[in-house]
Amino acid sequence: MNLAQIILIDGISYAGWLFLVSIGLTLVFGVLRLLNIAHGGFYALGAYVAAYAIGLAAQNGFGVGVQLLVALVGACGVGGLVGLLVERTVLRRLYDHPEVLTLFATYAVFLILEDVTKLVFGGQPIYAFQPRNAFGMVDLGPLAYPVYDVATVAVAALVAAAVWFVLNRTKTGRCVIAVVNDREMAASMGVNVTAIMIGTFVVGTALGAFAGAITAPKIAVAPGIGVEVVVLAFAVIVIGGLGSIGGAVVGALVVGIARAAATHLAPDFAVFAVYAAMAVVLTIRPYGLFARPMARKI
Amino acid sequence: MTRLFDPTIILVVLGAVALSFAEGAMPGWVVYMTQLAIAAALPALGCMIMLRSGLLSFGQGLYYFLGAYGIALTQDHLGLTDAFAGLAVGVLASVVVAIVIGLFLARYRGIFFAMLTLALSMVVYGIAIKMDLFGRSDGLNVARLSYLGLTPGREWASASLFFLCVWLFALAAIATHLYLTSRFGKMLSAIHDNETRVEYLGWSVRHAVHVNYVVAAVLGSLGGAVAAASARYADPSLAYWTTSGEFVFIVLISGQASVLSPLFGSAFLEVLRAYASAHFPDEWQLVLGAVMLLIILFLPKGLGHLFVLAKRAVVRPAGAAERKERAR
Amino acid sequence: MTISSPHRTMARLLAASALAAAPLMAAPALAQDAVKVGFVYFLSGAGAAYGDGARKAAELMVDALNEGAVPAPYDKVGINGVPLEAIYVDEAGGVRKQIAEYRRLVESEGVDMVLGYTSSSNCNALAPIVEELETLTNFFHCGNPGLFEEVDTDPFYAIRSAPMGTMDQVGLARYIAEIYPDAATFSGVNQDYSWGQDNWAEFQAAMTALKPDAAFKNALFPQLGAGDYGSEISALAADPADITFVSFWGGDADALMLQANSRGLGMSTDFAFTLGTGVINGLGQNTISGTIVGGRGPNSYLDQETELSTWFADLYQETYGAYPPLSAHVAAQGLLGVKAAAEKAADGEGALPETDAIVEAMKGLTYETTNGYPITMGLHDGNQGVSATAYGTYTGWDSETDMPIIENVTIYDAECVNPPEGVKALEWIEGGFEGASC
């Protein structure tokens, strides 16, 4: 049926975006056991840097390709740098403290990032729609979709594949997995745990900024865009299982399709659908769809 | 009887008496801020007793919401402006909800407990912003309260509400203190340390967690009632995750030394917020975040730890000298 | 009030421990060397995109008034010769924080009046407190009819010079019936909170009253700040209505327009944005041609040329390098309203009249605004303003003047789009606009 097709297309398109937004969050949780609320701040930061860079590139007469390249590289760079700064000045001092303390530290960082971005870029929205409009549209069955949105899904798939490859097929990735499984054991085997943790956090924040940069051309980049994002990303990785890359894929698909279905079938419940999905999954599988339960300590 | 001479209880009563007398001299905005601090301190107290057993709830906003709407809906649908009727409705609703939810929540630990409580409170938020019953996202206005048939005149309305809030908190704090110092309360800490061992001793951890959850829910709903009565308003944001997060944060900055700690923490937060928005209307979030960060980084055990440090600073030099003496 | 000395010590102690900040404790100004005004706009969060324009306009107006540089009839310095002193407060942070902030403004800063509040929940929550603290408060922007219909039914100190949102929906329905007589099916995309839900209900009622055979298709309610509207656009495209009603504001409105534009949705349905001039402010030529636009009244690009409106638009553009958005007009209007009332109530120049006298003077007052259309304080015993409104259709960009081309601009008199005194807005619409004169 036509409607099922439409829901699937919309759902996957939304899921691609959700995955990009969530991957950095789940990666950081997996390695650092830290729910980084500031992730939304990095998303906003990335969007702002991208919008600014695209505007700058366009002003100087560069084409869309260069605009996008500058935006993505710039966003990842700034996101990673600020991430490094946050890790070195804040998180580093808190690894021995209870997790909830680090959680609130990231919340504080989020508040600071929000206001700093506002102070740097101003309160008025900025726009960077040129790259998205330049790619035109493609027919997907019953729907005409912007090529840019389809490409976003492809980028999401690429990012997923890249993260999977790095984690499972490279030496660094193996070390990361070792740290995830047992920090002390990994350290005793000669893995530089500190370096792995710094690296993961920087990559995680850069990915958050990357997601913001990818999104910038389709929205008005304005104050407050990071708030809803962190809640959504949180729902996605909780449903999939915290710290699991495969889980983030599945979680994004569940939330994406749930929202698309709600929009088409029961629009009054579009907002509610996400949290309901989260509560249901958690009730049935407390550890999320993909993560393994933890053993009780004696 | 001797437990009534517990220093904490005496402190609570003295504090409540002092506040009651001070009311006449406090400007309206200070009265309001004190009430807001009390409102947030109650659910934070609930968070604190759950933390005793090692559980972190990110969903106390749910009971904050129920308590507030207990007052609002009793007025709208039962036509009663009585404070105690409203309180009773909110508490009753919270107890029922907490018993039902607690049945399966009691199985969860750690971050999963935190996440499920958060998700449930967000589900309630999602429902409330759609329903006329709750005034949708706009919320409902709350009329001035009456007290067991007495409706205070305009000049007394603010004072009587303040007395209610202060003494409600005092009673809740004393009850919680007795609860925590009871055998059951001590078991909560034991659960935190090692729940398997507690079970070997023949106690049901799940049952204890469940009971504790219900107690915390009652505290949360009392706080919600105070919030609604003070702001004369109830809205769905009471159940939003950031509201719940604030309660946890209050416990973090205040520490868990005593049942008065959450009040200390929430008053601090209230003052900080007022200060930041008065002096930095454009950057108050930044100031708030920066102070939060400084506290977390340099006082990870909470502001209450300042007292410990101060005490140590006074005692240690003497102690060190003594030790030196003994070493000789 | 007399305070005995132990009490006073206690108060001082409490005050000192509560806030170790001198400016917070400053006593209310005694002599009238300045009119202290609290301005409350969204300065952070999603509302900041909107509050930014309001705040900029307020700063500009305060400076201009203090220099006496505003054209007649507002050429007196400040308010009635007394210069203005502005205190800005952020509206973000929730209802309970706003009440604390409001009380602080009134009881600690000792402001003479408060102008502000965009969010209807903040207006609803504050109205009873305004009456209690007896401070003139102009809810400059929130548009929910419920404020004076249900919450504060006998308002005195709470006034609202901004017309109710009802006007937007009724004006739009009339515009559609007149300019698009063939439109028969309607869809709606509105943010999922009271404002969006109410607007859709009012629009449906107004459209049905004017066109009894109007059919409604999709009624979509995405989350506030959702950012991605792919599913909504698919739903609209799958079953396009003749007209799609949108009450979005701020960044959400721009994002929806952008995404709808790139999906070519403008070809299959005509959009009607009740805050459409705001979208033009942001997107310029990327606004979908053929979109019906309003401006929460006849604001921004829909303004009418007068000496005052030209002065305002020129000064705003000169100062901030952008055409004044609708929130700028509304903020200026909120200040001019109380200025006009105070000067009417004044007995000689150089002092601010008593608050009660200002409120009394406000009732029934008609005053000029920066959009060129006067506001009359005609409803709810003179505490609620009404004005004419305007709608038009955006058809393209004039590169010579660097301004949008808005065609078929139609103006509706205040009595045509606002309910008469004593009738609730929604009942008035559902009853077929009884007493309207168009």
Side-chain angles (χ1 to χ4, degrees), chain B residues 177-215:
Chain B
H177 180 68
L178 294 176
Y179 169 79
L180 285 178
T181 46
S182 71
R183 263 173 69 137
F184 186 85
K186 287 182 176 139
M187 185 172 70
L188 293 174
S189 314
I191 291 175
H192 183 29
D193 294 339
N194 193 324
E195 54 175 86
T196 318
R197 282 190 200 160
V198 172
E199 288 199 334
Y200 278 134
L201 292 173
W203 279 318
S204 162
V205 169
R206 196 190 275 195
H207 178 69
V209 166
H210 195 171
V211 170
N212 200 31
Y213 182 72
V214 176
V215 173

Short mmCIF file of all heavy atoms in Angstrom, two decimals, chain B residues 177-215:
data_model
loop_
_atom_site.label_atom_id
_atom_site.label_comp_id
_atom_site.label_asym_id
_atom_site.label_seq_id
_atom_site.Cartn_x
_atom_site.Cartn_y
_atom_site.Cartn_z
N HIS B 177 13.16 12.14 58.73
CA HIS B 177 14.29 11.89 59.61
C HIS B 177 14.05 10.64 60.45
O HIS B 177 14.92 9.78 60.58
CB HIS B 177 14.53 13.11 60.50
CG HIS B 177 15.67 12.93 61.44
ND1 HIS B 177 16.98 12.86 61.01
CD2 HIS B 177 15.71 12.78 62.79
CE1 HIS B 177 17.76 12.68 62.04
NE2 HIS B 177 17.02 12.63 63.14
N LEU B 178 12.84 10.56 61.02
CA LEU B 178 12.51 9.38 61.82
C LEU B 178 12.55 8.12 60.96
O LEU B 178 13.03 7.06 61.39
CB LEU B 178 11.13 9.54 62.46
CG LEU B 178 11.03 10.68 63.50
CD1 LEU B 178 9.60 10.82 64.00
CD2 LEU B 178 11.97 10.40 64.67
N TYR B 179 12.06 8.27 59.74
CA TYR B 179 12.03 7.15 58.80
C TYR B 179 13.45 6.67 58.49
O TYR B 179 13.75 5.48 58.53
CB TYR B 179 11.31 7.62 57.54
CG TYR B 179 11.38 6.73 56.33
CD1 TYR B 179 10.57 5.59 56.23
CD2 TYR B 179 12.21 7.04 55.25
CE1 TYR B 179 10.61 4.80 55.10
CE2 TYR B 179 12.26 6.25 54.12
CZ TYR B 179 11.46 5.12 54.05
OH TYR B 179 11.50 4.33 52.93
N LEU B 180 14.34 7.63 58.25
CA LEU B 180 15.71 7.25 57.88
C LEU B 180 16.48 6.67 59.06
O LEU B 180 17.37 5.84 58.88
CB LEU B 180 16.47 8.45 57.31
CG LEU B 180 16.09 8.87 55.89
CD1 LEU B 180 16.87 10.09 55.47
CD2 LEU B 180 16.32 7.73 54.90
N THR B 181 16.14 7.11 60.27
CA THR B 181 16.89 6.60 61.42
C THR B 181 16.26 5.32 61.97
O THR B 181 16.79 4.71 62.89
CB THR B 181 16.96 7.65 62.54
OG1 THR B 181 15.66 8.21 62.71
CG2 THR B 181 17.94 8.75 62.20
N SER B 182 15.12 4.93 61.40
CA SER B 182 14.51 3.67 61.84
C SER B 182 15.31 2.50 61.28
O SER B 182 16.22 2.67 60.46
CB SER B 182 13.07 3.61 61.34
OG SER B 182 13.07 3.41 59.94
N ARG B 183 14.95 1.31 61.73
CA ARG B 183 15.63 0.10 61.22
C ARG B 183 15.49 -0.02 59.72
O ARG B 183 16.43 -0.34 59.01
CB ARG B 183 15.01 -1.13 61.88
CG ARG B 183 15.78 -1.63 63.06
CD ARG B 183 14.99 -2.71 63.70
NE ARG B 183 14.96 -3.89 62.82
CZ ARG B 183 15.12 -5.11 63.27
NH1 ARG B 183 15.34 -5.32 64.56
NH2 ARG B 183 15.07 -6.13 62.46
N PHE B 184 14.27 0.28 59.25
CA PHE B 184 14.00 0.20 57.82
C PHE B 184 14.92 1.16 57.06
O PHE B 184 15.52 0.82 56.05
CB PHE B 184 12.54 0.53 57.54
CG PHE B 184 12.13 0.34 56.11
CD1 PHE B 184 11.73 -0.90 55.66
CD2 PHE B 184 12.16 1.40 55.21
CE1 PHE B 184 11.35 -1.08 54.33
CE2 PHE B 184 11.80 1.23 53.90
CZ PHE B 184 11.38 -0.02 53.45
N GLY B 185 15.03 2.37 57.61
CA GLY B 185 15.86 3.39 56.97
C GLY B 185 17.31 2.96 56.90
O GLY B 185 18.01 3.22 55.92
N LYS B 186 17.75 2.29 57.95
CA LYS B 186 19.15 1.86 57.95
C LYS B 186 19.37 0.75 56.93
O LYS B 186 20.46 0.63 56.35
CB LYS B 186 19.56 1.42 59.34
CG LYS B 186 19.71 2.64 60.23
CD LYS B 186 20.15 2.33 61.63
CE LYS B 186 20.36 3.63 62.38
NZ LYS B 186 19.85 3.56 63.75
N MET B 187 18.31 -0.02 56.73
CA MET B 187 18.43 -1.09 55.74
C MET B 187 18.65 -0.51 54.34
O MET B 187 19.33 -1.10 53.50
CB MET B 187 17.16 -1.94 55.75
CG MET B 187 17.27 -3.14 54.83
SD MET B 187 15.89 -4.23 55.04
CE MET B 187 14.56 -3.33 54.37
N LEU B 188 18.07 0.68 54.12
CA LEU B 188 18.23 1.30 52.80
C LEU B 188 19.71 1.51 52.47
O LEU B 188 20.16 1.22 51.36
CB LEU B 188 17.50 2.66 52.76
CG LEU B 188 15.98 2.60 52.86
CD1 LEU B 188 15.41 3.99 52.96
CD2 LEU B 188 15.39 1.86 51.66
N SER B 189 20.46 1.98 53.48
CA SER B 189 21.89 2.17 53.24
C SER B 189 22.56 0.83 53.00
O SER B 189 23.49 0.71 52.18
CB SER B 189 22.54 2.86 54.43
OG SER B 189 21.76 3.94 54.83
N ALA B 190 22.08 -0.18 53.71
CA ALA B 190 22.65 -1.52 53.53
C ALA B 190 22.42 -2.00 52.11
O ALA B 190 23.28 -2.63 51.49
CB ALA B 190 22.04 -2.48 54.53
N ILE B 191 21.24 -1.67 51.55
CA ILE B 191 20.94 -2.08 50.18
C ILE B 191 21.94 -1.41 49.23
O ILE B 191 22.45 -2.04 48.30
CB ILE B 191 19.50 -1.66 49.79
CG1 ILE B 191 18.50 -2.49 50.58
CG2 ILE B 191 19.27 -1.83 48.30
CD1 ILE B 191 17.07 -2.07 50.38
N HIS B 192 22.22 -0.15 49.53
CA HIS B 192 23.16 0.58 48.70
C HIS B 192 24.54 -0.12 48.72
O HIS B 192 25.18 -0.29 47.69
CB HIS B 192 23.28 2.02 49.22
CG HIS B 192 24.17 2.88 48.38
ND1 HIS B 192 24.36 2.68 47.04
CD2 HIS B 192 24.92 3.97 48.69
CE1 HIS B 192 25.17 3.59 46.56
NE2 HIS B 192 25.53 4.39 47.55
N ASP B 193 24.94 -0.52 49.92
CA ASP B 193 26.26 -1.14 50.05
C ASP B 193 26.31 -2.49 49.35
O ASP B 193 27.25 -2.78 48.62
CB ASP B 193 26.62 -1.30 51.53
CG ASP B 193 26.81 0.04 52.19
OD1 ASP B 193 27.05 1.01 51.44
OD2 ASP B 193 26.69 0.14 53.42
N ASN B 194 25.30 -3.31 49.58
CA ASN B 194 25.34 -4.64 48.98
C ASN B 194 23.98 -5.30 49.12
O ASN B 194 23.62 -5.81 50.17
CB ASN B 194 26.39 -5.49 49.68
CG ASN B 194 26.67 -6.75 48.89
OD1 ASN B 194 25.75 -7.31 48.29
ND2 ASN B 194 27.91 -7.17 48.87
N GLU B 195 23.23 -5.31 48.02
CA GLU B 195 21.87 -5.78 48.19
C GLU B 195 21.75 -7.29 48.27
O GLU B 195 20.83 -7.80 48.91
CB GLU B 195 20.94 -5.19 47.13
CG GLU B 195 21.31 -5.36 45.69
CD GLU B 195 20.17 -4.81 44.84
OE1 GLU B 195 20.13 -3.60 44.55
OE2 GLU B 195 19.31 -5.62 44.48
N THR B 196 22.70 -7.97 47.70
CA THR B 196 22.62 -9.43 47.80
C THR B 196 22.75 -9.87 49.27
O THR B 196 22.03 -10.75 49.72
CB THR B 196 23.74 -10.06 46.97
OG1 THR B 196 23.84 -9.35 45.74
CG2 THR B 196 23.44 -11.50 46.67
N ARG B 197 23.65 -9.19 49.96
CA ARG B 197 23.83 -9.55 51.37
C ARG B 197 22.58 -9.26 52.17
O ARG B 197 22.20 -10.01 53.06
CB ARG B 197 25.00 -8.77 51.97
CG ARG B 197 26.31 -9.39 51.56
CD ARG B 197 27.44 -8.79 52.34
NE ARG B 197 28.68 -9.05 51.61
CZ ARG B 197 29.79 -8.37 51.80
NH1 ARG B 197 29.82 -7.39 52.68
NH2 ARG B 197 30.86 -8.66 51.11
N VAL B 198 21.91 -8.12 51.83
CA VAL B 198 20.67 -7.79 52.53
C VAL B 198 19.65 -8.91 52.34
O VAL B 198 18.96 -9.32 53.26
CB VAL B 198 20.11 -6.45 52.04
CG1 VAL B 198 18.73 -6.18 52.62
CG2 VAL B 198 21.06 -5.32 52.40
N GLU B 199 19.61 -9.44 51.12
CA GLU B 199 18.66 -10.52 50.87
C GLU B 199 19.03 -11.78 51.63
O GLU B 199 18.17 -12.50 52.11
CB GLU B 199 18.57 -10.78 49.36
CG GLU B 199 17.82 -9.64 48.68
CD GLU B 199 17.27 -9.99 47.32
OE1 GLU B 199 17.82 -10.89 46.67
OE2 GLU B 199 16.28 -9.35 46.92
N TYR B 200 20.34 -12.04 51.75
CA TYR B 200 20.77 -13.20 52.54
C TYR B 200 20.31 -13.08 53.98
O TYR B 200 20.09 -14.05 54.67
CB TYR B 200 22.29 -13.34 52.49
CG TYR B 200 22.78 -14.04 51.25
CD1 TYR B 200 23.84 -13.55 50.50
CD2 TYR B 200 22.17 -15.23 50.83
CE1 TYR B 200 24.28 -14.19 49.36
CE2 TYR B 200 22.60 -15.87 49.68
CZ TYR B 200 23.64 -15.36 48.96
OH TYR B 200 24.07 -15.99 47.83
N LEU B 201 20.18 -11.80 54.43
CA LEU B 201 19.73 -11.60 55.80
C LEU B 201 18.22 -11.80 55.95
O LEU B 201 17.67 -11.66 57.03
CB LEU B 201 20.11 -10.19 56.27
CG LEU B 201 21.62 -9.98 56.43
CD1 LEU B 201 21.91 -8.53 56.72
CD2 LEU B 201 22.17 -10.87 57.53
N GLY B 202 17.57 -12.09 54.83
CA GLY B 202 16.16 -12.43 54.91
C GLY B 202 15.21 -11.28 54.63
O GLY B 202 14.02 -11.40 54.85
N TRP B 203 15.73 -10.15 54.14
CA TRP B 203 14.84 -9.05 53.79
C TRP B 203 14.61 -9.03 52.29
O TRP B 203 15.49 -9.40 51.51
CB TRP B 203 15.45 -7.72 54.22
CG TRP B 203 15.25 -7.44 55.68
CD1 TRP B 203 14.12 -7.66 56.40
CD2 TRP B 203 16.21 -6.90 56.57
NE1 TRP B 203 14.30 -7.28 57.69
CE2 TRP B 203 15.57 -6.80 57.83
CE3 TRP B 203 17.53 -6.47 56.45
CZ2 TRP B 203 16.22 -6.29 58.96
CZ3 TRP B 203 18.16 -5.96 57.55
CH2 TRP B 203 17.53 -5.88 58.79
N SER B 204 13.46 -8.52 51.88
CA SER B 204 13.20 -8.41 50.46
C SER B 204 13.64 -7.03 49.99
O SER B 204 13.05 -6.01 50.37
CB SER B 204 11.72 -8.62 50.16
OG SER B 204 11.43 -8.11 48.88
N VAL B 205 14.68 -7.01 49.20
CA VAL B 205 15.18 -5.73 48.69
C VAL B 205 14.12 -5.06 47.83
O VAL B 205 13.86 -3.87 47.92
CB VAL B 205 16.47 -5.94 47.87
CG1 VAL B 205 16.83 -4.68 47.12
CG2 VAL B 205 17.59 -6.36 48.79
N ARG B 206 13.46 -5.88 47.00
CA ARG B 206 12.49 -5.32 46.09
C ARG B 206 11.36 -4.63 46.86
O ARG B 206 10.94 -3.54 46.52
CB ARG B 206 11.92 -6.43 45.20
CG ARG B 206 11.20 -5.85 44.01
CD ARG B 206 10.44 -6.89 43.28
NE ARG B 206 11.28 -7.60 42.33
CZ ARG B 206 10.75 -8.36 41.36
NH1 ARG B 206 9.45 -8.52 41.26
NH2 ARG B 206 11.55 -8.98 40.54
N HIS B 207 10.94 -5.28 47.92
CA HIS B 207 9.87 -4.71 48.74
C HIS B 207 10.34 -3.39 49.36
O HIS B 207 9.62 -2.39 49.35
CB HIS B 207 9.48 -5.71 49.83
CG HIS B 207 8.43 -5.21 50.76
ND1 HIS B 207 7.13 -5.01 50.37
CD2 HIS B 207 8.51 -4.83 52.05
CE1 HIS B 207 6.44 -4.53 51.39
NE2 HIS B 207 7.25 -4.41 52.43
N ALA B 208 11.55 -3.41 49.89
CA ALA B 208 12.07 -2.19 50.53
C ALA B 208 12.18 -1.05 49.53
O ALA B 208 11.79 0.09 49.82
CB ALA B 208 13.44 -2.48 51.15
N VAL B 209 12.67 -1.36 48.34
CA VAL B 209 12.82 -0.33 47.31
C VAL B 209 11.44 0.23 46.94
O VAL B 209 11.25 1.42 46.77
CB VAL B 209 13.52 -0.92 46.08
CG1 VAL B 209 13.39 0.00 44.88
CG2 VAL B 209 14.99 -1.16 46.39
N HIS B 210 10.48 -0.68 46.87
CA HIS B 210 9.11 -0.29 46.50
C HIS B 210 8.53 0.67 47.55
O HIS B 210 8.01 1.73 47.22
CB HIS B 210 8.25 -1.55 46.39
CG HIS B 210 6.94 -1.31 45.69
ND1 HIS B 210 6.10 -2.32 45.31
CD2 HIS B 210 6.33 -0.18 45.30
CE1 HIS B 210 5.03 -1.83 44.72
NE2 HIS B 210 5.16 -0.52 44.70
N VAL B 211 8.66 0.29 48.82
CA VAL B 211 8.15 1.14 49.89
C VAL B 211 8.83 2.50 49.85
O VAL B 211 8.18 3.56 49.92
CB VAL B 211 8.37 0.47 51.27
CG1 VAL B 211 8.05 1.46 52.39
CG2 VAL B 211 7.52 -0.78 51.39
N ASN B 212 10.13 2.47 49.68
CA ASN B 212 10.90 3.71 49.65
C ASN B 212 10.45 4.60 48.49
O ASN B 212 10.36 5.82 48.62
CB ASN B 212 12.39 3.36 49.52
CG ASN B 212 13.29 4.49 49.95
OD1 ASN B 212 12.92 5.26 50.83
ND2 ASN B 212 14.43 4.62 49.31
N TYR B 213 10.16 3.97 47.37
CA TYR B 213 9.71 4.71 46.20
C TYR B 213 8.40 5.43 46.49
O TYR B 213 8.19 6.58 46.09
CB TYR B 213 9.58 3.75 45.01
CG TYR B 213 9.16 4.41 43.73
CD1 TYR B 213 10.04 5.23 43.03
CD2 TYR B 213 7.89 4.22 43.21
CE1 TYR B 213 9.66 5.84 41.86
CE2 TYR B 213 7.49 4.83 42.03
CZ TYR B 213 8.38 5.64 41.36
OH TYR B 213 8.00 6.25 40.19
N VAL B 214 7.50 4.73 47.19
CA VAL B 214 6.21 5.33 47.51
C VAL B 214 6.40 6.51 48.46
O VAL B 214 5.79 7.57 48.28
CB VAL B 214 5.25 4.28 48.11
CG1 VAL B 214 3.94 4.93 48.53
CG2 VAL B 214 4.98 3.17 47.12
N VAL B 215 7.28 6.35 49.45
CA VAL B 215 7.54 7.45 50.39
C VAL B 215 8.08 8.67 49.62
O VAL B 215 7.64 9.81 49.82
CB VAL B 215 8.55 7.02 51.48
CG1 VAL B 215 8.94 8.22 52.34
CG2 VAL B 215 7.95 5.92 52.33
#
